[in-house]
mmCIF file of all heavy atoms in Angstrom:
data_model
loop_
_atom_site.group_PDB
_atom_site.id
_atom_site.type_symbol
_atom_site.label_atom_id
_atom_site.label_comp_id
_atom_site.label_asym_id
_atom_site.label_seq_id
_atom_site.Cartn_x
_atom_site.Cartn_y
_atom_site.Cartn_z
ATOM 1 N N LEU Z 1 11.397 30.660 -9.004
ATOM 2 C CA LEU Z 1 11.190 31.581 -7.894
ATOM 3 C C LEU Z 1 12.371 31.537 -6.932
ATOM 4 O O LEU Z 1 12.912 32.572 -6.543
ATOM 5 C CB LEU Z 1 9.896 31.265 -7.153
ATOM 6 C CG LEU Z 1 9.623 32.105 -5.906
ATOM 7 C CD1 LEU Z 1 9.319 33.550 -6.291
ATOM 8 C CD2 LEU Z 1 8.495 31.510 -5.093
ATOM 9 N N LEU Z 2 12.788 30.335 -6.565
ATOM 10 C CA LEU Z 2 13.892 30.196 -5.622
ATOM 11 C C LEU Z 2 15.199 30.738 -6.200
ATOM 12 O O LEU Z 2 15.986 31.368 -5.484
ATOM 13 C CB LEU Z 2 14.056 28.736 -5.199
ATOM 14 C CG LEU Z 2 12.890 28.136 -4.407
ATOM 15 C CD1 LEU Z 2 13.135 26.659 -4.131
ATOM 16 C CD2 LEU Z 2 12.623 28.897 -3.135
ATOM 17 N N LYS Z 3 15.434 30.516 -7.501
ATOM 18 C CA LYS Z 3 16.640 31.066 -8.141
ATOM 19 C C LYS Z 3 16.664 32.587 -8.051
ATOM 20 O O LYS Z 3 17.719 33.188 -7.898
ATOM 21 C CB LYS Z 3 16.680 30.666 -9.622
ATOM 22 C CG LYS Z 3 17.333 29.362 -9.881
ATOM 23 C CD LYS Z 3 17.660 29.039 -11.326
ATOM 24 C CE LYS Z 3 17.029 29.845 -12.410
ATOM 25 N NZ LYS Z 3 17.370 29.387 -13.775
ATOM 26 N N SER Z 4 15.485 33.196 -8.123
ATOM 27 C CA SER Z 4 15.431 34.665 -8.091
ATOM 28 C C SER Z 4 15.483 35.233 -6.675
ATOM 29 O O SER Z 4 15.793 36.408 -6.500
ATOM 30 C CB SER Z 4 14.170 35.166 -8.792
ATOM 31 O OG SER Z 4 13.012 34.919 -8.014
ATOM 32 N N ARG Z 5 15.206 34.413 -5.674
ATOM 33 C CA ARG Z 5 15.116 34.906 -4.296
ATOM 34 C C ARG Z 5 16.250 34.461 -3.376
ATOM 35 O O ARG Z 5 16.517 35.109 -2.375
ATOM 36 C CB ARG Z 5 13.793 34.458 -3.671
ATOM 37 C CG ARG Z 5 12.558 34.915 -4.402
ATOM 38 C CD ARG Z 5 12.087 36.250 -3.874
ATOM 39 N NE ARG Z 5 10.997 36.806 -4.626
ATOM 40 C CZ ARG Z 5 9.713 36.686 -4.337
ATOM 41 N NH1 ARG Z 5 9.355 35.986 -3.288
ATOM 42 N NH2 ARG Z 5 8.812 37.261 -5.096
ATOM 43 N N ILE Z 6 16.877 33.343 -3.684
ATOM 44 C CA ILE Z 6 17.935 32.806 -2.804
ATOM 45 C C ILE Z 6 19.273 32.961 -3.519
ATOM 46 O O ILE Z 6 19.510 32.316 -4.548
ATOM 47 C CB ILE Z 6 17.673 31.318 -2.455
ATOM 48 C CG1 ILE Z 6 16.338 31.163 -1.729
ATOM 49 C CG2 ILE Z 6 18.823 30.760 -1.620
ATOM 50 C CD1 ILE Z 6 15.935 29.725 -1.469
ATOM 51 N N PRO Z 7 20.147 33.821 -2.996
ATOM 52 C CA PRO Z 7 21.424 34.111 -3.682
ATOM 53 C C PRO Z 7 22.285 32.874 -3.959
ATOM 54 O O PRO Z 7 22.908 32.778 -5.001
ATOM 55 C CB PRO Z 7 22.143 35.069 -2.732
ATOM 56 C CG PRO Z 7 21.080 35.642 -1.864
ATOM 57 C CD PRO Z 7 19.996 34.606 -1.777
ATOM 58 N N ASP Z 8 22.324 31.924 -3.046
ATOM 59 C CA ASP Z 8 23.168 30.741 -3.232
ATOM 60 C C ASP Z 8 22.324 29.497 -3.531
ATOM 61 O O ASP Z 8 22.677 28.385 -3.151
ATOM 62 C CB ASP Z 8 24.047 30.509 -2.004
ATOM 63 C CG ASP Z 8 23.227 30.227 -0.742
ATOM 64 O OD1 ASP Z 8 22.018 30.540 -0.727
ATOM 65 O OD2 ASP Z 8 23.795 29.694 0.225
ATOM 66 N N TYR Z 9 21.218 29.697 -4.252
ATOM 67 C CA TYR Z 9 20.282 28.609 -4.543
ATOM 68 C C TYR Z 9 20.979 27.452 -5.257
ATOM 69 O O TYR Z 9 21.724 27.643 -6.215
ATOM 70 C CB TYR Z 9 19.134 29.120 -5.413
ATOM 71 C CG TYR Z 9 18.251 28.012 -5.938
ATOM 72 C CD1 TYR Z 9 17.356 27.351 -5.093
ATOM 73 C CD2 TYR Z 9 18.313 27.612 -7.261
ATOM 74 C CE1 TYR Z 9 16.556 26.329 -5.566
ATOM 75 C CE2 TYR Z 9 17.515 26.595 -7.749
ATOM 76 C CZ TYR Z 9 16.638 25.953 -6.891
ATOM 77 O OH TYR Z 9 15.843 24.943 -7.369
ATOM 78 N N LYS Z 10 20.703 26.242 -4.763
ATOM 79 C CA LYS Z 10 21.159 25.005 -5.391
ATOM 80 C C LYS Z 10 19.991 24.032 -5.361
ATOM 81 O O LYS Z 10 19.422 23.758 -4.305
ATOM 82 C CB LYS Z 10 22.363 24.424 -4.645
ATOM 83 C CG LYS Z 10 23.624 25.249 -4.790
ATOM 84 C CD LYS Z 10 24.764 24.600 -4.026
ATOM 85 C CE LYS Z 10 26.031 25.398 -4.126
ATOM 86 N NZ LYS Z 10 25.949 26.777 -3.689
ATOM 87 N N TYR Z 11 19.644 23.503 -6.515
ATOM 88 C CA TYR Z 11 18.501 22.601 -6.634
ATOM 89 C C TYR Z 11 18.607 21.442 -5.645
ATOM 90 O O TYR Z 11 17.664 21.157 -4.916
ATOM 91 C CB TYR Z 11 18.398 22.078 -8.074
ATOM 92 C CG TYR Z 11 17.190 21.221 -8.332
ATOM 93 C CD1 TYR Z 11 15.989 21.780 -8.734
ATOM 94 C CD2 TYR Z 11 17.250 19.840 -8.182
ATOM 95 C CE1 TYR Z 11 14.879 20.997 -8.988
ATOM 96 C CE2 TYR Z 11 16.141 19.039 -8.424
ATOM 97 C CZ TYR Z 11 14.957 19.615 -8.826
ATOM 98 O OH TYR Z 11 13.851 18.841 -9.062
ATOM 99 N N ASP Z 12 19.765 20.785 -5.622
ATOM 100 C CA ASP Z 12 19.923 19.609 -4.752
ATOM 101 C C ASP Z 12 19.804 19.939 -3.272
ATOM 102 O O ASP Z 12 19.402 19.096 -2.478
ATOM 103 C CB ASP Z 12 21.263 18.919 -5.008
ATOM 104 C CG ASP Z 12 21.253 18.117 -6.301
ATOM 105 O OD1 ASP Z 12 20.163 17.707 -6.736
ATOM 106 O OD2 ASP Z 12 22.342 17.906 -6.857
ATOM 107 N N THR Z 13 20.134 21.151 -2.904
ATOM 108 C CA THR Z 13 20.078 21.563 -1.505
ATOM 109 C C THR Z 13 18.695 22.076 -1.120
ATOM 110 O O THR Z 13 18.164 21.714 -0.069
ATOM 111 C CB THR Z 13 21.109 22.678 -1.235
ATOM 112 O OG1 THR Z 13 22.403 22.185 -1.565
ATOM 113 C CG2 THR Z 13 21.075 23.131 0.218
ATOM 114 N N HIS Z 14 18.102 22.898 -1.961
ATOM 115 C CA HIS Z 14 16.886 23.623 -1.597
ATOM 116 C C HIS Z 14 15.573 22.986 -2.071
ATOM 117 O O HIS Z 14 14.533 23.238 -1.476
ATOM 118 C CB HIS Z 14 16.961 25.058 -2.132
ATOM 119 C CG HIS Z 14 18.044 25.859 -1.501
ATOM 120 N ND1 HIS Z 14 19.244 26.088 -2.135
ATOM 121 C CD2 HIS Z 14 18.140 26.451 -0.292
ATOM 122 C CE1 HIS Z 14 20.023 26.810 -1.350
ATOM 123 N NE2 HIS Z 14 19.387 27.033 -0.216
ATOM 124 N N MET Z 15 15.605 22.188 -3.132
ATOM 125 C CA MET Z 15 14.364 21.633 -3.688
ATOM 126 C C MET Z 15 14.054 20.273 -3.067
ATOM 127 O O MET Z 15 14.826 19.325 -3.195
ATOM 128 C CB MET Z 15 14.496 21.488 -5.213
ATOM 129 C CG MET Z 15 13.235 20.994 -5.872
ATOM 130 S SD MET Z 15 11.815 22.113 -5.730
ATOM 131 C CE MET Z 15 12.364 23.472 -6.749
ATOM 132 N N GLY Z 16 12.929 20.208 -2.380
ATOM 133 C CA GLY Z 16 12.530 18.965 -1.742
ATOM 134 C C GLY Z 16 11.721 18.060 -2.645
ATOM 135 O O GLY Z 16 11.678 16.857 -2.452
ATOM 136 N N GLY Z 17 11.054 18.641 -3.643
ATOM 137 C CA GLY Z 17 10.253 17.849 -4.571
ATOM 138 C C GLY Z 17 8.780 18.161 -4.472
ATOM 139 O O GLY Z 17 8.369 19.187 -3.922
ATOM 140 N N ALA Z 18 7.985 17.254 -5.005
ATOM 141 C CA ALA Z 18 6.532 17.403 -5.025
ATOM 142 C C ALA Z 18 5.902 16.347 -4.114
ATOM 143 O O ALA Z 18 6.292 15.177 -4.145
ATOM 144 C CB ALA Z 18 5.996 17.245 -6.447
ATOM 145 N N ILE Z 19 4.955 16.785 -3.316
ATOM 146 C CA ILE Z 19 4.211 15.879 -2.446
ATOM 147 C C ILE Z 19 2.735 15.980 -2.817
ATOM 148 O O ILE Z 19 2.173 17.082 -2.834
ATOM 149 C CB ILE Z 19 4.391 16.231 -0.951
ATOM 150 C CG1 ILE Z 19 5.859 16.103 -0.553
ATOM 151 C CG2 ILE Z 19 3.496 15.361 -0.078
ATOM 152 C CD1 ILE Z 19 6.159 16.593 0.843
ATOM 153 N N TYR Z 20 2.152 14.840 -3.134
ATOM 154 C CA TYR Z 20 0.718 14.773 -3.412
ATOM 155 C C TYR Z 20 0.079 13.956 -2.297
ATOM 156 O O TYR Z 20 0.492 12.825 -2.037
ATOM 157 C CB TYR Z 20 0.458 14.144 -4.781
ATOM 158 C CG TYR Z 20 0.571 15.165 -5.896
ATOM 159 C CD1 TYR Z 20 1.759 15.824 -6.143
ATOM 160 C CD2 TYR Z 20 -0.524 15.489 -6.677
ATOM 161 C CE1 TYR Z 20 1.869 16.768 -7.147
ATOM 162 C CE2 TYR Z 20 -0.434 16.439 -7.690
ATOM 163 C CZ TYR Z 20 0.767 17.071 -7.911
ATOM 164 O OH TYR Z 20 0.874 18.011 -8.896
ATOM 165 N N VAL Z 21 -0.901 14.556 -1.639
ATOM 166 C CA VAL Z 21 -1.584 13.906 -0.528
ATOM 167 C C VAL Z 21 -2.940 13.431 -1.028
ATOM 168 O O VAL Z 21 -3.801 14.236 -1.388
ATOM 169 C CB VAL Z 21 -1.750 14.877 0.666
ATOM 170 C CG1 VAL Z 21 -2.479 14.184 1.807
ATOM 171 C CG2 VAL Z 21 -0.409 15.425 1.121
ATOM 172 N N PHE Z 22 -3.116 12.121 -1.073
ATOM 173 C CA PHE Z 22 -4.387 11.524 -1.455
ATOM 174 C C PHE Z 22 -5.213 11.392 -0.176
ATOM 175 O O PHE Z 22 -5.006 10.478 0.639
ATOM 176 C CB PHE Z 22 -4.156 10.161 -2.122
ATOM 177 C CG PHE Z 22 -3.609 10.272 -3.519
ATOM 178 C CD1 PHE Z 22 -2.274 10.570 -3.742
ATOM 179 C CD2 PHE Z 22 -4.440 10.085 -4.624
ATOM 180 C CE1 PHE Z 22 -1.768 10.680 -5.023
ATOM 181 C CE2 PHE Z 22 -3.946 10.194 -5.919
ATOM 182 C CZ PHE Z 22 -2.602 10.494 -6.114
ATOM 183 N N LEU Z 23 -6.098 12.348 0.026
ATOM 184 C CA LEU Z 23 -6.813 12.492 1.295
ATOM 185 C C LEU Z 23 -7.545 11.221 1.723
ATOM 186 O O LEU Z 23 -7.570 10.893 2.899
ATOM 187 C CB LEU Z 23 -7.808 13.650 1.190
ATOM 188 C CG LEU Z 23 -7.175 15.027 0.995
ATOM 189 C CD1 LEU Z 23 -8.234 16.061 0.658
ATOM 190 C CD2 LEU Z 23 -6.381 15.423 2.219
ATOM 191 N N ARG Z 24 -8.142 10.522 0.777
ATOM 192 C CA ARG Z 24 -8.897 9.311 1.126
ATOM 193 C C ARG Z 24 -7.982 8.177 1.577
ATOM 194 O O ARG Z 24 -8.450 7.192 2.132
ATOM 195 C CB ARG Z 24 -9.742 8.858 -0.061
ATOM 196 C CG ARG Z 24 -10.792 9.859 -0.473
ATOM 197 C CD ARG Z 24 -11.439 9.431 -1.789
ATOM 198 N NE ARG Z 24 -12.216 10.489 -2.356
ATOM 199 C CZ ARG Z 24 -13.538 10.547 -2.351
ATOM 200 N NH1 ARG Z 24 -14.236 9.589 -1.771
ATOM 201 N NH2 ARG Z 24 -14.167 11.553 -2.918
ATOM 202 N N GLY Z 25 -6.695 8.324 1.349
ATOM 203 C CA GLY Z 25 -5.743 7.287 1.728
ATOM 204 C C GLY Z 25 -5.031 7.548 3.034
ATOM 205 O O GLY Z 25 -4.244 6.726 3.489
ATOM 206 N N LEU Z 26 -5.291 8.688 3.652
ATOM 207 C CA LEU Z 26 -4.633 8.993 4.923
ATOM 208 C C LEU Z 26 -5.204 8.149 6.038
ATOM 209 O O LEU Z 26 -6.407 7.894 6.092
ATOM 210 C CB LEU Z 26 -4.783 10.468 5.262
ATOM 211 C CG LEU Z 26 -4.085 11.455 4.327
ATOM 212 C CD1 LEU Z 26 -4.356 12.879 4.776
ATOM 213 C CD2 LEU Z 26 -2.600 11.171 4.262
ATOM 214 N N GLN Z 27 -4.336 7.731 6.941
ATOM 215 C CA GLN Z 27 -4.768 6.951 8.097
ATOM 216 C C GLN Z 27 -4.501 7.738 9.355
ATOM 217 O O GLN Z 27 -3.617 8.593 9.399
ATOM 218 C CB GLN Z 27 -3.998 5.628 8.165
ATOM 219 C CG GLN Z 27 -4.333 4.696 7.047
ATOM 220 C CD GLN Z 27 -3.640 3.350 7.225
ATOM 221 O OE1 GLN Z 27 -2.996 3.080 8.229
ATOM 222 N NE2 GLN Z 27 -3.784 2.491 6.239
ATOM 223 N N ASP Z 28 -5.247 7.407 10.371
ATOM 224 C CA ASP Z 28 -5.002 7.974 11.695
ATOM 225 C C ASP Z 28 -3.607 7.571 12.134
ATOM 226 O O ASP Z 28 -3.216 6.408 12.016
ATOM 227 C CB ASP Z 28 -6.050 7.422 12.669
ATOM 228 C CG ASP Z 28 -5.947 8.042 14.042
ATOM 229 O OD1 ASP Z 28 -4.819 8.249 14.537
ATOM 230 O OD2 ASP Z 28 -7.007 8.315 14.622
ATOM 231 N N ALA Z 29 -2.837 8.515 12.611
ATOM 232 C CA ALA Z 29 -1.451 8.250 13.023
ATOM 233 C C ALA Z 29 -1.360 7.149 14.079
ATOM 234 O O ALA Z 29 -0.348 6.464 14.175
ATOM 235 C CB ALA Z 29 -0.807 9.532 13.543
ATOM 236 N N ASP Z 30 -2.412 6.965 14.882
ATOM 237 C CA ASP Z 30 -2.385 5.944 15.933
ATOM 238 C C ASP Z 30 -2.711 4.545 15.420
ATOM 239 O O ASP Z 30 -2.435 3.565 16.088
ATOM 240 C CB ASP Z 30 -3.395 6.293 17.032
ATOM 241 C CG ASP Z 30 -3.016 7.572 17.759
ATOM 242 O OD1 ASP Z 30 -1.805 7.888 17.815
ATOM 243 O OD2 ASP Z 30 -3.920 8.258 18.252
ATOM 244 N N THR Z 31 -3.289 4.452 14.212
ATOM 245 C CA THR Z 31 -3.752 3.147 13.744
ATOM 246 C C THR Z 31 -3.073 2.644 12.480
ATOM 247 O O THR Z 31 -3.280 1.509 12.095
ATOM 248 C CB THR Z 31 -5.272 3.172 13.476
ATOM 249 O OG1 THR Z 31 -5.532 4.144 12.455
ATOM 250 C CG2 THR Z 31 -6.051 3.503 14.723
ATOM 251 N N GLY Z 32 -2.285 3.457 11.801
ATOM 252 C CA GLY Z 32 -1.702 2.990 10.548
ATOM 253 C C GLY Z 32 -0.429 3.706 10.175
ATOM 254 O O GLY Z 32 0.101 4.531 10.900
ATOM 255 N N SER Z 33 0.026 3.359 9.014
ATOM 256 C CA SER Z 33 1.273 3.913 8.483
ATOM 257 C C SER Z 33 1.093 5.366 8.078
ATOM 258 O O SER Z 33 0.089 5.735 7.492
ATOM 259 C CB SER Z 33 1.707 3.098 7.263
ATOM 260 O OG SER Z 33 2.725 3.766 6.567
ATOM 261 N N SER Z 34 2.067 6.175 8.401
ATOM 262 C CA SER Z 34 2.009 7.582 8.004
ATOM 263 C C SER Z 34 2.346 7.744 6.527
ATOM 264 O O SER Z 34 2.205 8.824 5.982
ATOM 265 C CB SER Z 34 2.969 8.406 8.857
ATOM 266 O OG SER Z 34 4.292 7.949 8.660
ATOM 267 N N GLU Z 35 2.788 6.680 5.861
ATOM 268 C CA GLU Z 35 3.138 6.725 4.444
ATOM 269 C C GLU Z 35 1.921 6.542 3.545
ATOM 270 O O GLU Z 35 1.953 6.910 2.384
ATOM 271 C CB GLU Z 35 4.172 5.643 4.119
ATOM 272 C CG GLU Z 35 5.512 5.861 4.786
ATOM 273 C CD GLU Z 35 6.271 7.051 4.214
ATOM 274 O OE1 GLU Z 35 6.260 7.240 2.996
ATOM 275 O OE2 GLU Z 35 6.876 7.785 5.015
ATOM 276 N N THR Z 36 0.863 5.938 4.040
ATOM 277 C CA THR Z 36 -0.309 5.653 3.215
ATOM 278 C C THR Z 36 -0.957 6.959 2.766
ATOM 279 O O THR Z 36 -1.227 7.834 3.578
ATOM 280 C CB THR Z 36 -1.337 4.810 4.006
ATOM 281 O OG1 THR Z 36 -0.689 3.633 4.464
ATOM 282 C CG2 THR Z 36 -2.507 4.432 3.141
ATOM 283 N N GLY Z 37 -1.167 7.073 1.458
ATOM 284 C CA GLY Z 37 -1.820 8.252 0.911
ATOM 285 C C GLY Z 37 -0.877 9.395 0.572
ATOM 286 O O GLY Z 37 -1.308 10.439 0.104
ATOM 287 N N ILE Z 38 0.418 9.208 0.768
ATOM 288 C CA ILE Z 38 1.399 10.256 0.498
ATOM 289 C C ILE Z 38 2.264 9.826 -0.687
ATOM 290 O O ILE Z 38 2.926 8.788 -0.634
ATOM 291 C CB ILE Z 38 2.316 10.525 1.704
ATOM 292 C CG1 ILE Z 38 1.516 10.803 2.972
ATOM 293 C CG2 ILE Z 38 3.307 11.650 1.385
ATOM 294 C CD1 ILE Z 38 0.746 12.092 2.968
ATOM 295 N N TYR Z 39 2.262 10.633 -1.739
ATOM 296 C CA TYR Z 39 3.101 10.371 -2.910
ATOM 297 C C TYR Z 39 4.155 11.475 -2.981
ATOM 298 O O TYR Z 39 3.816 12.653 -2.971
ATOM 299 C CB TYR Z 39 2.260 10.369 -4.189
ATOM 300 C CG TYR Z 39 3.083 10.130 -5.435
ATOM 301 C CD1 TYR Z 39 3.314 8.839 -5.888
ATOM 302 C CD2 TYR Z 39 3.627 11.192 -6.141
ATOM 303 C CE1 TYR Z 39 4.077 8.605 -7.021
ATOM 304 C CE2 TYR Z 39 4.390 10.970 -7.275
ATOM 305 C CZ TYR Z 39 4.610 9.681 -7.707
ATOM 306 O OH TYR Z 39 5.370 9.462 -8.831
ATOM 307 N N HIS Z 40 5.425 11.111 -3.048
ATOM 308 C CA HIS Z 40 6.512 12.086 -3.110
ATOM 309 C C HIS Z 40 7.430 11.760 -4.280
ATOM 310 O O HIS Z 40 7.746 10.588 -4.521
ATOM 311 C CB HIS Z 40 7.331 12.072 -1.811
ATOM 312 C CG HIS Z 40 8.544 12.944 -1.882
ATOM 313 N ND1 HIS Z 40 9.803 12.444 -2.092
ATOM 314 C CD2 HIS Z 40 8.684 14.288 -1.784
ATOM 315 C CE1 HIS Z 40 10.677 13.445 -2.118
ATOM 316 N NE2 HIS Z 40 10.014 14.571 -1.933
ATOM 317 N N HIS Z 41 7.822 12.804 -4.979
ATOM 318 C CA HIS Z 41 8.806 12.633 -6.045
ATOM 319 C C HIS Z 41 9.580 13.940 -6.218
ATOM 320 O O HIS Z 41 9.004 15.020 -6.136
ATOM 321 C CB HIS Z 41 8.125 12.285 -7.374
ATOM 322 C CG HIS Z 41 9.106 12.056 -8.486
ATOM 323 N ND1 HIS Z 41 9.858 10.909 -8.596
ATOM 324 C CD2 HIS Z 41 9.475 12.841 -9.517
ATOM 325 C CE1 HIS Z 41 10.639 10.998 -9.659
ATOM 326 N NE2 HIS Z 41 10.427 12.167 -10.237
#
């Protein structure tokens, strides 16, 4: 999609990756790590 829509598309510049949010692993920002429950690749 991005290759067809962005004239100067570059994977390394424009693609951030995949984020999977494991809802049961999220913590309140005031009490825990913001990384818990977030998988990124």
Side-chain angles (χ1 to χ4, degrees):
L1 176 69
L2 295 176
K3 272 192 345 183
S4 72
R5 301 270 174 95
I6 300 174
D8 63 342
Y9 171 74
K10 291 180 181 56
Y11 184 89
D12 284 335
T13 301
H14 295 101
M15 183 64 68
I19 298 173
Y20 277 62
V21 179
F22 286 77
L23 296 170
R24 297 171 193 255
L26 294 179
Q27 293 185 6
D28 185 320
D30 295 332
T31 61
S33 168
S34 62
E35 294 290 319
T36 304
I38 307 292
Y39 179 89
H40 174 259
H41 182 76

